[in-house]
Amino acid sequence: GFVRYIIPEYITKHVGQMQCKLFLENPENNDSTHVANFYFTVNDSGITKSVGKEIRVELLDDIVEKVMKDNVDIFKGPKGDTGEQGPAGQDGKDGKNGINGIDGINGNPGPQGPPGRDGKDGVDGQDGSDGKSFDFESLTEEQKAEITPKLPDFSNWQQYQFTNSDGTRKWLGTLSQPIETLEPGLYECSIPSDYKSVNAPADPSGAGYIAEINVTKGQSGRKHIILIHNYQNDIWSKTIHTDGDDRGWVAVNPQGQKYKLTNDDGTNFSKGYTTINLNNEDEIKKIPPGIRYITKTTGLPTDVSSTNGWLFKLVWSDSQLSTIYFQPYNSSQLLQRVTYNGLSEWRY
């Protein structure tokens, strides 16, 4: 939750850092817990003149009182002469009775007397009638009230749960509604590959994925949504304002460049995209940029050697323009082709 802290005006008149502590107090047993430390800094705007240190009268009262108590002898005046003895006062009331004295020690026990005669046996009582088995409905209303547990007052509790009763997130299955229509809560669901139908961020590979979704509401109906990609650990955030203005998704934890051009040791990629049709523009656009060693390629010029094994380099300039560099592994011949609203001719 949020804690709103009102800063008194006399504090903000002074430049410097204010160290603060946050406590949670329980008024029922006067117990408190230290939750956190924080601070804020008041800066000098440079527009108005600096303000001298403020003196508060109530603070001076406490300080003066403490100084006088700690230094009583310094503030005492000279001792006056002893006055005449006054008249005797009335006799005081009699005091309370004193405490009783300690009990004396018990004497030694006397000798045991002779045993008495045995008494006659009493008459056997009559057998009682069999009682009825316990029946709740046969009880009076007062008896029912005594054994019925009393529940606390739930009228002032939150009206819906953020999680399941065991603390787990609410599972929605495959999401079938726009994310911004979800009520506040913590959810887990499967985002379909058609992510636009639910207004979700796209997976880099274009596939569906499992996501955690946190939805909260602010004042005047503002809504804030955080979405976490479970496998990629990507985090997105967006805010929807009171007028329905959806500002769109913003990546909270971008991981630097989105694609690698080579392996970590600088060598070319040798796995993935081993079969490519270089006459299909849509298929080319699905390939991330980088340098790869590929085989089984189609769409090459007829005069290029058919020997398998090629160095393939793809460069993106923008969402429409990309450049293909293609070279057989056993040749110095380099081919180039451009995609921009269609495929250009091969250039040697």
Side-chain angles (χ1 to χ4, degrees):
F2 295 88
V3 176
R4 184 181 184 192
Y5 180 58
I6 306 300
I7 303 174
E9 182 181 358
Y10 69 86
I11 291 180
T12 59
K13 290 182 179 180
H14 303 280
V15 175
Q17 189 179 89
M18 175 63 65
Q19 299 290 338
C20 307
K21 294 180 182 292
L22 175 63
F23 292 85
L24 292 182
E25 294 186 353
N26 187 341
E28 295 181 357
N29 56 12
N30 293 326
D31 191 14
S32 64
T33 301
H34 180 198
V35 178
N37 294 341
F38 66 97
Y39 69 88
F40 59 87
T41 303
V42 180
N43 296 321
D44 189 349
S45 66
I47 298 175
T48 58
K49 295 181 180 180
S50 61
V51 180
K53 191 166 186 179
E54 180 178 333
I55 301 299
R56 298 181 64 196
V57 176
E58 60 269 23
L59 297 180
L60 288 179
D61 289 343
D62 296 339
I63 295 172
V64 171
E65 182 181 359
K66 183 178 184 303
V67 171
M68 294 186 69
K69 285 182 177 179
D70 294 343
N71 302 275
V72 174
D73 295 335
I74 297 177
F75 295 99
K76 281 183 178 179
K79 186 175 182 180
D81 298 333
T82 303
E84 296 180 359
Q85 184 173 354
Q90 296 178 356
D91 293 340
K93 297 179 181 179
D94 292 338
K96 296 180 180 179
N97 294 331
I99 302 173
N100 295 331
I102 302 174
D103 294 336
I105 301 174
N106 295 330
N108 295 327
Q112 184 174 357
R117 294 188 218 177
D118 292 338
K120 295 181 180 181
D121 294 336
V123 180
D124 292 338
Q126 295 180 355
D127 294 336
S129 58
D130 293 337
K132 295 182 179 179
S133 60
F134 177 80
D135 183 5
F136 181 80
E137 297 301 329
S138 64
L139 299 178
T140 64
E141 294 300 323
E142 291 76 10
Q143 292 172 328
K144 291 180 181 179
E146 289 181 1
I147 66 174
T148 302
K150 294 179 174 57
L151 298 177
D153 181 11
F154 294 101
S155 61
N156 202 27
W157 291 29
Q158 288 193 357
Q159 300 302 308
Y160 55 85
Q161 293 178 318
F162 257 50
T163 64
N164 295 319
S165 298
D166 59 357
T168 57
R169 295 175 180 272
K170 299 177 182 179
W171 172 250
L172 301 178
T174 300
L175 190 64
S176 59
Q177 66 185 97
I179 291 178
E180 58 269 17
T181 62
L182 294 175
E183 289 297 320
L186 307 181
Y187 304 97
E188 192 167 359
C189 63
S190 174
I191 302 296
S193 57
D194 182 17
Y195 60 91
K196 292 183 179 180
S197 64
V198 295
N199 296 341
D203 182 271
S205 64
Y209 56 93
I210 302 297
E212 297 177 8
I213 302 175
N214 301 344
V215 183
T216 55
K217 269 188 177 180
Q219 296 297 321
S220 303
R222 284 189 296 271
K223 184 178 288 188
H224 184 234
I225 304 174
I226 296 177
L227 185 144
I228 304 174
H229 191 310
N230 270 9
Y231 301 123
Q232 300 292 341
N233 199 26
D234 293 332
I235 303 175
W236 292 278
S237 170
K238 76 171 175 177
T239 301
I240 301 173
H241 289 260
T242 54
D243 57 359
D245 183 14
D246 186 343
R247 303 298 174 86
W249 292 104
V250 176
V252 178
N253 62 335
Q255 304 295 327
Q257 289 193 0
K258 191 172 182 180
Y259 301 106
K260 292 182 179 180
L261 297 183
T262 64
N263 293 315
D264 290 337
D265 60 357
T267 57
N268 300 331
F269 298 121
S270 59
K271 294 181 179 179
Y273 304 102
T274 55
T275 303
I276 300 174
N277 181 2
L278 296 181
N279 279 332
N280 189 324
E281 183 180 4
D282 292 334
E283 185 174 338
I284 294 172
K285 288 182 178 180
K286 293 180 181 178
I287 305 173
I291 305 174
R292 291 174 171 77
Y293 180 79
I294 61 176
T295 59
K296 301 178 183 178
T297 304
T298 60
L300 288 171
T302 56
D303 58 342
V304 175
S305 172
S306 61
T307 302
N308 289 341
W310 317 84
L311 289 177
F312 176 85
K313 177 181 178 182
L314 180 63
V315 179
W316 284 356
S317 298
D318 54 37
S319 59
Q320 297 293 329
L321 177 61
S322 58
T323 305
I324 302 170
Y325 298 92
F326 203 79
Q327 181 178 11
Y329 80 99
N330 59 353
S331 171
S332 61
Q333 188 179 45
L334 179 66
L335 292 84
Q336 182 191 55
R337 197 174 199 181
V338 176
T339 66
Y340 188 80
N341 296 328
L343 290 168
S344 70
E345 297 296 329
W346 286 103
R347 176 184 177 187
Y348 294 78

